[in-house]
Amino acid sequence: MYAISLGDDGAELCPIEPWQAGEFLAHIDRGREFIGRHNGLPDVVTDLESSRAFLQAYADRTAADTGRIHGIRSDGVLVGAVILRTLDVTQGLAEAGCWLEPAAVGRGLVTRAARVLLDWAFDSRGVHRVEWVVSAGNAPSIAVARRLGMTKDAVLRESHLYRGRRHDEEVWSVLAPHWRAAQHSS
């Protein structure tokens, strides 16, 4: 398996596959409450079977070129992930997302990992627009969108029913020309 370095601290980005369902479940269990504040993943991945099914769904998306999941590892331990929830190469559109367990927060891991994933989407798959849809109450994820140079396009008022409550969602995006210009000016 390959891994892409995310910097001098030993963090890496690598694929997560169905055979790693036990490790993935352990990661979700370590961050279940924290991740679940804004992300429904802990409600979906509850045991080994559902963990394997979630990873298989992304393996199928990878095979169909309609999505991707990559794990973020710190000192060899899976601590989070970045995903392309959707990938439509024909339309040139993708939606990215992420999560981390609490021990990995505050080190820039998601921003670094998302940059690698977005570089791949723009450069290798020819995507024109990447969106980041986030709960309006998820300040850390909104900060990542800003660090990635994204623009807030909209607030979808009470658009997301989550755990019995309606939440506003923000839609952030970056377009390929802006992404490339920002990468060359860094």
Side-chain angles (χ1 to χ4, degrees), residues 105-164:
V105 171
R107 298 175 21 210
L109 294 173
V110 165
T111 302
R112 289 184 275 158
R115 282 188 179 124
V116 172
L117 189 64
L118 269 59
D119 277 342
W120 177 83
F122 288 125
D123 296 339
S124 296
R125 300 308 303 129
V127 168
H128 177 72
R129 174 187 169 93
V130 174
E131 293 183 348
W132 190 268
V133 180
V134 58
S135 169
N138 190 345
S141 189
I142 291 168
V144 170
R146 286 189 175 114
R147 284 191 297 273
L148 293 172
M150 294 184 166
T151 299
K152 183 163 80 171
D153 295 331
V155 175
L156 306 175
R157 296 178 309 134
E158 297 185 7
S159 62
H160 185 65
L161 182 60
Y162 181 61
R163 294 184 175 176

Side-chain angles (χ1 to χ4, degrees), residues 59-121:
D60 294 345
R61 288 180 188 180
T62 297
D65 200 24
T66 60
R68 291 283 189 282
I69 185 170
H70 278 77
I72 301 169
R73 292 184 180 280
S74 179
D75 296 322
V77 176
L78 182 64
V79 296
V82 290
I83 60 173
L84 290 179
R85 289 176 40 113
T86 62
L87 174 63
D88 183 335
V89 175
T90 302
Q91 291 295 316
L93 303 173
E95 180 191 337
C98 68
W99 64 85
L100 281 177
E101 59 187 66
V105 171
R107 298 175 21 210
L109 294 173
V110 165
T111 302
R112 289 184 275 158
R115 282 188 179 124
V116 172
L117 189 64
L118 269 59
D119 277 342
W120 177 83

Side-chain angles (χ1 to χ4, degrees), residues 27-41:
H27 153 63
I28 295 300
D29 284 344
R30 286 191 302 271
R32 188 167 297 282
E33 184 177 321
F34 180 79
I35 295 166
R37 292 182 311 159
H38 300 289
N39 186 322
L41 181 61

